[in-house]
């Protein structure tokens, strides 16, 4: 093998290893954001935009990297965020050992924010899930049963104006946690609670949704206001802050 081919092989091997190696612990990046198999690339970008707007540093982790992380490596972070996407695909892209490590890391004090699919995955789902909810399994918001899969949905909170958020096949969280926000039918849209020593916030809508997700829908609130609320959720999840609840 000539020198040029050796250099090329070394470069390719380095790139491949970088895609598999878990992110190292970094005190300057307290948040671990999942962008692996099953996560919506657009939602990952939307969450990243909120993190950047909030001047919060974060590390990205894909499925293969997460499968190589130990419980101790996970606990080096303060918050894990799993965004929207396909919760079954996300769960099945992870090994049972990985979901156990995440579960145990949260029990040990890692905080967790699950948005839409990330919220479903936090329950005792039919797929390889995290079960941060002591066996409670979540279903979808009732609009799904009416054949509606995308909508502007008004979410009512305690001591805060009702906000219309982008919703897409999102869950409702009956049976777990304190209710921070309610869907129009009264079912929980946003909940919070402890799982072991970890602080968990689950959100069935997408307050992080940018303006261009809103095409063809009518919103009573600007995207900037909803995005500010997304920042509030992330901050509360990061610091273990209890939000006003019913």
């Amino acid at each position: 093998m000539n020198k040029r081919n050796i250099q090329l092989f070394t470069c390719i091997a380095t790139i491949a290893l970088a895609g598999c190696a878990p992110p190292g612990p970094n005190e300057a990046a307290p948040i671990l954001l999942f962008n692996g198999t099953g996560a919506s690339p657009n939602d990952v970008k939307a969450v990243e935009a909120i993190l950047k707007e909030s001047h919060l540093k974060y590390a990205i982790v894909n499925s293969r990297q997460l499968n190589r992380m130990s419980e101790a490596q996970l606990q080096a972070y303060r918050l894990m965020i799993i965004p929207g996407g396909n919760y079954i695909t996300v769960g099945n892209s992870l090994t049972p050992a990985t979901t156990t490590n995440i579960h145990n890391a949260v029990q040990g004090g890692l905080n967790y924010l699950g948005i839409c699919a990330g919220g479903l995955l936090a329950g005792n789902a039919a797929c390889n899930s995290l079960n941060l909810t002591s066996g409670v399994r979540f279903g979808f918001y009732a609009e799904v049963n009416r054949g509606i899969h995308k909508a502007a949905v008004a979410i009512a909170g305690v001591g805060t104006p009702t906000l219309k958020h982008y919703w897409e096949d999102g869950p409702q969280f009956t049976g777990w946690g304190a209710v921070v926000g309610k869907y129009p039918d009264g079912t929980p849209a946003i909940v919070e609670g402890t799982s072991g020593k970890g602080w968990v916030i689950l959100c069935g809508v997408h307050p992080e949704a940018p303006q261009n997700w809103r095409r063809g829908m009518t919103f009573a609130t600007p995207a900037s206001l909803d995005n500010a609320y997304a920042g509030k959720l992330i901050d509360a999840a990061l610091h273990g802050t209890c939000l006003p609840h019913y």
Side-chain angles (χ1 to χ4, degrees), residues 108-238:
L110 173 67
N111 295 339
Y112 179 90
L113 173 60
I115 301 171
C116 198
L120 284 164
L121 194 72
N124 183 25
C127 64
N128 180 33
S129 65
L130 305 178
N131 191 20
L132 304 177
T133 59
S134 301
V136 176
R137 179 174 296 183
F138 303 123
F140 293 96
Y141 174 46
E143 292 293 83
V144 170
N145 298 327
R146 298 173 53 206
I148 298 171
H149 300 285
K150 293 182 183 181
V153 179
I155 303 299
V158 176
T160 184
T162 296
L163 298 175
K164 271 201 170 182
H165 291 296
Y166 178 90
W167 169 87
E168 183 174 351
D169 285 336
Q172 53 87 10
F173 301 108
T174 297
W176 185 86
V179 179
V180 174
K182 292 183 179 181
Y183 286 112
D185 67 356
T187 54
I190 304 168
V191 293
E192 63 184 6
T194 55
S195 184
K197 296 179 181 178
W199 184 244
V200 176
I201 296 179
L202 308 178
C203 182
V205 291
H206 291 278
E208 76 283 1
Q211 180 64 40
N212 62 6
W213 288 21
R214 295 178 161 215
R215 295 190 186 102
M217 301 180 217
T218 302
F219 287 81
T221 49
S224 59
L225 196 58
D226 288 354
N227 293 169
Y229 187 75
K232 183 177 180 179
L233 289 181
I234 291 172
D235 182 77
L238 177 63

Side-chain angles (χ1 to χ4, degrees), residues 1-8:
M1 185 179 291
N2 61 39
K3 184 176 180 180
R4 182 179 178 183
N5 286 342
I6 291 173
Q7 290 175 332
L8 179 61

Side-chain angles (χ1 to χ4, degrees), residues 19 23 32-45 47-48 58-66 80-84 90 93-94:
L32 191 62
L33 173 61
F34 179 78
N35 77 337
T37 305
S40 162
N42 286 335
D43 200 32
V44 172
K45 289 178 183 177
V47 173
E48 285 191 89
Y58 60 96
I60 289 284
V61 64
N62 62 33
S63 301
R64 283 194 287 181
Q65 291 170 324
L66 192 52
M80 182 174 193
I81 301 176
I82 296 188
V90 172
S93 77
L94 305 175

